[in-house]
Amino acid sequence: MRTRRGLCYPGVVGSDRTVVVKRKKDIAIGKSMVRRKRLRKSPDKAIGVSDLFDSLPDDLVLCILSKLSSTAGCPSDFINILITCKRLNGLGLHSLVLSRASQKTFAIRAKNWSDSAHRFLKQCADAGNVEACYTLGMIRFYCLENRGSGASLMAKAAISSHAQALYSLAVIQFNGSGGSKNDKDLRAGVSLCARAAFLGHIDALRELGHCLQDGYGVRQNITEGRRFLVQANARELAAVLSSGISTRSLLTWNLHPHPHLLPSPQLRQLTGTGCPLLSDFGCNVPVPDAHPASRFMTEWFSSRGGSPGPGLRLCSHVGCGRPETRNHEFRRCSVCGTVNYCSRACQALDWKFRHKTECAPVERWPDEDGEDDGEGNGGVDGDGAGVLES
């Protein structure tokens, strides 16, 4: 059909009946202009075809989400799933999915800490995720200073044979963290360390070896202690070899692998392929990745001036992040008195990495308050590191 202006109305091909599409008309109402629009339905809904995602059973979606949460490489990998749609948000917060979330899912940065992040970790811990229990327990115990709740969460993870939680509880018992000096329980610390060592925790093996060598909390047995140190080094080396690192780089020796260190050990970033003798007997072992809880504590206290409080210190080992809960809780190197550690394992690792080239003996080193400690210089252990003094 042709109009007066010579235009044709479109028609439907293959149909005897011509469908006329009306032009949009503008209706003036006062000074405003209203345009009439025709509502058009999507082709799928017009035909009557439903979304295939809605037809998937919940059990299958939960299985897929559980696999995704267990392999997430960072928190955003899992959060992006939750914000996709309403159904994925509801199923993604299911206890089955949260209980299988990976360690990296809880690698929250200290600058991004908020009430929502706290609630998410709490929800994962309530679902039975042992990594969430340990991470939230460490944050509460050391950063939020909620000692009872933090220790309870770490104990919940330790009951489920979480090696890192067992070792952290052992460090708390060795130092009497959260209490007084009289609250130390060396026997309990050794027992927790032995359990973590049985599960293959490298720092626990090293700590137990030093305890046996020194007779600290257990009857002295130098031979057995040395055996635990060898076992810790063997496990450390096996972990590196399984990661695909070239064996050629493991045999190189570099006494000063990191000549350019930042002034603050807590802000220092590890560079290069490895550091000499992270193990006690002589391989260029790459630095292991710190646990998300340790990285969180390091960032937390670094953003607060690098100190957990007046007169309190952080562990001098860069990969630890543990702070003191009372004055003079950590023991320090008896040779120089400038560094302090929460455990013998941290002291041994930091000695091989950094302190070996910096430790300078002094006859009498003053306390932080200007008073002499009275301990004088200590001896030197079998690996060359200064003995820690209380």
Side-chain angles (χ1 to χ4, degrees), residues 61 69 74 77 102 109 183 212 217 230 246 257 267 285 296 302 315 345 350 390:
V61 179
S69 66
C74 60
D77 290 346
S102 65
R109 304 294 298 269
D183 293 328
L212 286 168
V230 172
S246 174
L267 299 177
V285 180
F296 182 93
S302 295
C315 180
D350 193 61
S390 299

Side-chain angles (χ1 to χ4, degrees), residues 136-267:
L136 184 58
M138 292 286 285
I139 293 174
R140 284 186 177 180
F141 189 89
Y142 288 109
C143 299
L144 305 181
E145 298 185 5
N146 191 344
R147 314 294 186 194
S149 176
S152 298
L153 286 170
M154 283 188 278
K156 182 179 178 181
I159 292 174
S160 301
S161 298
H162 190 272
Q164 189 71 28
L166 286 165
Y167 175 70
S168 295
L169 289 175
V171 173
I172 291 175
Q173 294 295 331
F174 282 134
N175 297 322
S177 301
S180 63
K181 188 175 182 179
N182 297 328
D183 293 328
K184 293 182 180 181
D185 193 341
L186 303 185
R187 293 174 63 92
V190 171
S191 298
L192 290 167
C193 236
R195 176 62 180 166
F198 175 76
L199 296 173
H201 194 271
I202 297 175
D203 287 341
L205 283 167
R206 183 173 283 111
E207 181 75 25
L208 187 59
H210 285 289
C211 287
L212 286 168
Q213 279 191 328
D214 303 335
Y216 188 74
V218 67
R219 181 179 296 178
Q220 187 176 19
N221 190 333
I222 298 177
T223 304
E224 192 70 9
R226 205 66 175 173
R227 185 178 70 84
F228 276 108
L229 290 178
V230 172
Q231 187 176 355
N233 300 321
R235 286 184 177 273
E236 198 171 40
L237 189 58
V240 174
L241 292 175
S242 62
S243 64
I245 301 295
S246 174
T247 56
R248 188 175 212 178
S249 63
L250 299 177
L251 301 178
T252 59
W253 175 271
N254 183 10
L255 184 60
H256 304 286
H258 307 290
H260 304 291
L261 299 177
L262 296 178
S264 174
Q266 304 305 329
L267 299 177

Side-chain angles (χ1 to χ4, degrees), residues 41-193:
K41 298 181 180 180
S42 61
D44 292 342
K45 291 186 178 179
I47 300 174
V49 179
S50 61
D51 191 356
L52 295 178
F53 177 70
D54 294 335
S55 62
L56 293 176
D58 289 347
D59 294 343
L60 178 59
V61 179
L62 283 176
C63 181
I64 296 173
L65 291 177
S66 299
K67 184 66 175 179
L68 290 174
S69 66
S70 63
T71 57
C74 60
S76 61
D77 290 346
F78 184 69
I79 298 301
N80 289 336
I81 298 173
L82 300 181
I83 64 178
T84 302
C85 65
K86 185 176 180 180
R87 188 186 184 195
L88 287 181
N89 183 274
L91 295 178
L93 297 177
H94 192 275
S95 59
L96 178 63
V97 179
L98 296 179
S99 64
R100 297 184 180 179
S102 65
Q103 179 188 83
K104 295 182 179 180
T105 307
F106 312 118
I108 302 173
R109 304 294 298 269
K111 63 180 180 180
N112 298 330
W113 181 252
S114 61
D115 292 338
S116 59
H118 195 167
R119 287 194 301 269
F120 175 71
L121 282 176
K122 179 66 166 58
Q123 192 170 359
C124 293
D126 293 339
N129 191 301
V130 292
E131 284 292 344
C133 289
Y134 172 70
T135 302
L136 184 58
M138 292 286 285
I139 293 174
R140 284 186 177 180
F141 189 89
Y142 288 109
C143 299
L144 305 181
E145 298 185 5
N146 191 344
R147 314 294 186 194
S149 176
S152 298
L153 286 170
M154 283 188 278
K156 182 179 178 181
I159 292 174
S160 301
S161 298
H162 190 272
Q164 189 71 28
L166 286 165
Y167 175 70
S168 295
L169 289 175
V171 173
I172 291 175
Q173 294 295 331
F174 282 134
N175 297 322
S177 301
S180 63
K181 188 175 182 179
N182 297 328
D183 293 328
K184 293 182 180 181
D185 193 341
L186 303 185
R187 293 174 63 92
V190 171
S191 298
L192 290 167
C193 236

